[in-house]
Amino acid sequence: MEVPSSTGRALMVQPPRRVAGSRRTRVLVASRTALGHGWAMDAPEADDQRWMRAALEEAARAESAGEVPVGAVVVLDGRVIGAAGNAPLHDCDPTAHAEILALRAAARTIGNYRLAGCDLYVTVEPCPMCVGAMLHARIRTLIYGCPDSKAGAAGSRYALAEDGWNHRLVVRSGVLADECARTLQAFFAQRR
C-alpha cells in the first residue's frame, strides 16, 4: 500500500495491525526501500545510520512545528513500527517526548506494550523518564546520536540502563552524533 508522507514522497508500507495516532505520531511499518536509503555499508553500522537518518527526519518535522528538534523511531525486524518527533508544546503534554510518542505508536502497531526485540533510535540521549519507559517496554537496544550532559540518562549524567533493573537495555551512542548535535545547536542558536 502506498502512503503519502510529510516529506512529500510516498512510502510503501505494510498495513499495521492497528492504525492509531495523532497529528504528531505516525504509526507505520515500512520496508527498507520505503525510506529511500539504499547505500551499502557493514551492518549494524549501515542500519544504525539509516534508522538514525529516519529519526533526524522526525526531528526536522518537530522543528518545523516549533518544537525542540528531537526525533525517534522504533524498529522491529528491519521495519519502522513507530516514529515521532517532540511534541510537548503542541500537545500541552510534558511527557510528549519523541521517545515516548514513538514507544506509544510502536505499542499500538503491534498491539502490545512490551516491545521485546525492538530497537529505539533517537537523535539525542534520552532523559530519565524516557529511559524508564524503554526499560518498562523491554526495548532491546537504545541507539542515540549525541549525548546530553545536562539530562542524559544513558551514561552522560545518569546511567539508568545499568542500575540492575529486571531488564537489560543495551546502549549504543555516537551514531551520526555530529549531525544530531548540529541540529540541536542550530535550533538553540536561533532562539537566543
Side-chain angles (χ1 to χ4, degrees), residues 60-90:
R61 280 193 268 290
E63 182 176 19
S64 69
E67 301 281 356
V68 175
V70 177
V73 297
V74 178
V75 176
L76 176 63
D77 297 329
R79 299 177 301 163
V80 174
I81 61 169
N86 264 2
L89 297 174
H90 176 269

Side-chain angles (χ1 to χ4, degrees), residues 7-183:
T7 60
R9 60 190 155 125
L11 295 176
M12 294 300 297
V13 300
Q14 300 169 359
R17 280 201 283 169
R18 290 185 189 169
V19 177
S22 69
R23 214 180 112 209
R24 306 295 294 148
T25 305
R26 296 177 304 113
V27 178
L28 50 103
V29 181
S31 69
R32 287 178 179 238
T33 56
L35 294 174
H37 303 297
W39 59 82
M41 288 186 258
D42 293 340
E45 183 180 317
D47 285 340
D48 285 352
Q49 289 187 14
R50 184 165 139 239
W51 300 126
M52 190 61 71
R53 290 201 187 287
L56 280 163
E57 289 176 12
E58 295 298 327
R61 280 193 268 290
E63 182 176 19
S64 69
E67 301 281 356
V68 175
V70 177
V73 297
V74 178
V75 176
L76 176 63
D77 297 329
R79 299 177 301 163
V80 174
I81 61 169
N86 264 2
L89 297 174
H90 176 269
D91 292 353
C92 295
D93 179 357
T95 69
H97 291 195
E99 302 94 310
I100 299 294
L101 296 176
L103 288 170
R104 289 175 184 164
R108 283 191 299 266
T109 298
I110 66 170
N112 191 340
Y113 77 102
R114 295 283 195 211
L115 300 172
C118 293
D119 302 319
L120 189 143
Y121 291 81
V122 61
T123 56
V124 67
E125 183 180 3
C127 72
M129 173 186 69
C130 293
V131 171
M134 289 176 218
L135 289 166
H136 284 289
R138 305 296 194 261
I139 289 293
R140 176 178 59 191
T141 309
L142 160 65
I143 303 95
Y144 68 86
C146 63
D148 181 352
S149 61
K150 293 181 180 177
S156 292
R157 173 128 190 190
Y158 310 103
L160 294 183
E162 300 172 10
D163 281 347
W165 304 100
N166 62 343
H167 172 67
R168 174 85 172 125
L169 176 63
V170 176
V171 177
R172 291 200 309 263
S173 62
V175 177
L176 301 178
D178 292 339
E179 190 173 341
C180 293
R182 277 194 306 271
T183 300

